[in-house]
Amino acid sequence: MKQFLGLAVLSVMVGMYSCTPNNVTIENSWEKYFDSSKVTGTFGLYDNGQGKFFVYNLSRFKDSTYLPGSTFKILNSLIGLEKGTISNKKMALPWDKVVRKYPNGDTATGWNKDLTMEEAFKASAVPYFQEIARRIGRDTMQRWLDSLGYGSRYKKSAITAANLDTFWLDNSVKVTADEQLGLVKKLYFGQLPFHKKTTQEVVKDLLIQENNANYTLAYKTGWAFNESGKAIGWLVGWVEENRHPYFFAMNVEGPANTNMTQVREYLLKSILKQMGFLEGKK
């Protein structure tokens, strides 16, 4: 059953929008997708044109904080490009010859080679962006996170010399799904405090996963583990049909052996199709 709730200003970081009882819809019908995948989580979808917000598990969406995992590559890329640490999306870094694996134990073949920034972003290659973080430096990184208010609802000292290249993976910094949605909304419209063309437009284009005559689907994934060893998954981005963007953030939690790649894809496509996306119905 759908319910309509009042909501204060979502997203402390970006001041995303104000919701009223008439534009927030609780979508309990999405629960079946989480249950069938044996995970818990939340999914929020914001219709930018109509100012309507659809959400499953509202309290988790707006109040609960989780490590961002590789979704932090969005900000890492923005800061790196703005500072000049990343010269452009074709900037390559050599592979250090250390063979790395994905969280599920499979060899990360997409990581274990020389990579450009564009390739590293698409492959979600952790080592590339760890090196970028080290080159950005602790003080600069901390200043940007402070100025953006990123993770400010989680009152834990974030970045140190020791965790500069792991803080988004080791639970030192945590964010809400609400913050994540607000970030990609601001990025889409070029409203973040970075140069629009040389920084924001570059990262915005890197998020695009599918682009055809019916729709554009853009997102960044995240996959890591919380303090209890449970897998935390993210998908944050937007779907655009008829030049009309709809922004979303998905947060998923499951056992350590959860196949997050499969689960996230299933949840995203199932929910979007239920809402009439991806099939030329909008």
Side-chain angles (χ1 to χ4, degrees):
M1 178 179 179
K2 294 181 180 179
Q3 303 174 39
F4 294 89
L5 300 181
L7 202 60
V9 176
L10 288 179
S11 190
V12 171
M13 179 179 69
V14 296
M16 189 172 67
Y17 52 84
S18 295
C19 291
T20 70
N22 293 324
N23 64 8
V24 178
T25 303
I26 303 301
E27 288 287 354
N28 288 324
S29 63
W30 297 348
E31 183 177 20
K32 59 182 179 288
Y33 303 123
F34 289 85
D35 288 348
S36 66
S37 300
K38 296 181 173 57
V39 295
T40 58
T42 182
F43 191 103
L45 177 70
Y46 181 61
D47 178 346
N48 190 73
Q50 300 296 319
K52 294 181 179 179
F53 182 61
F54 305 86
V55 63
Y56 166 68
N57 201 344
L58 176 62
S59 61
R60 184 183 180 102
F61 189 89
K62 68 186 183 68
D63 295 325
S64 299
T65 58
Y66 303 91
L67 76 166
S70 283
T71 63
F72 186 73
K73 289 183 176 69
I74 298 173
L75 268 185
N76 206 350
S77 298
L78 290 167
I79 297 167
L81 286 164
E82 191 78 2
K83 185 177 181 291
T85 305
I86 303 172
S87 56
N88 56 61
K89 67 181 182 180
K90 298 301 182 183
M91 190 186 90
L93 292 180
W95 178 36
D96 61 7
K97 309 306 179 184
V98 176
V99 177
R100 294 176 175 85
K101 296 184 178 183
Y102 296 121
N104 65 355
D106 293 341
T107 300
T109 54
W111 299 3
N112 299 319
K113 58 183 180 180
D114 298 350
L115 292 170
T116 66
M117 181 265 195
E118 180 178 25
E119 291 169 335
F121 193 95
K122 292 293 188 182
S124 203
V126 171
Y128 186 102
F129 286 94
Q130 288 182 309
E131 176 59 23
I132 295 302
R134 290 190 288 266
R135 294 186 183 189
I136 289 171
R138 191 203 74 84
D139 291 343
T140 299
M141 186 74 80
Q142 188 72 65
R143 280 198 301 271
W144 272 108
L145 266 63
D146 289 345
S147 65
L148 291 165
Y150 189 84
S152 61
R153 296 171 71 176
Y154 181 66
K155 306 299 183 183
K156 183 176 180 180
S157 179
I159 305 176
T160 65
N163 71 4
L164 172 60
D165 57 2
T166 60
F167 65 84
W168 62 92
L169 298 168
D170 65 9
N171 295 283
S172 296
V173 167
K174 295 184 179 182
V175 293
T176 64
D178 178 24
E179 286 181 84
Q180 298 271 52
L181 192 154
L183 174 65
V184 293
K185 178 178 181 288
K186 288 280 189 178
L187 174 63
Y188 178 91
F189 288 112
Q191 296 172 340
L192 291 167
F194 302 97
H195 285 95
K196 185 172 182 179
K197 185 175 181 180
T198 59
T199 300
Q200 294 187 78
E201 289 294 334
V202 173
V203 178
K204 177 183 174 182
D205 288 345
L206 290 175
L207 267 72
I208 296 174
Q209 304 291 330
E210 299 179 33
N211 190 13
N212 56 52
N214 290 326
Y215 64 86
T216 298
L217 183 61
Y219 59 79
K220 184 69 193 76
T221 59
W223 183 3
F225 300 91
N226 66 14
E227 295 94 333
S228 300
K230 290 187 176 181
I232 299 295
W234 291 98
L235 277 179
V236 298
W238 61 86
V239 58
E240 184 175 354
E241 298 197 13
N242 296 318
R243 299 184 179 181
H244 184 174
Y246 302 76
F247 302 96
F248 59 79
M250 176 209 302
N251 172 269
V252 179
E253 180 177 336
N257 63 353
T258 300
N259 186 333
M260 275 298 171
T261 301
Q262 183 178 36
V263 167
R264 291 177 311 201
E265 180 81 5
Y266 167 72
L267 290 171
L268 178 67
K269 295 296 180 67
S270 297
I271 291 171
L272 290 182
K273 287 180 179 179
Q274 179 180 321
M275 297 296 288
F277 294 99
L278 311 182
E279 298 177 341
K281 297 179 181 179
K282 286 291 182 182

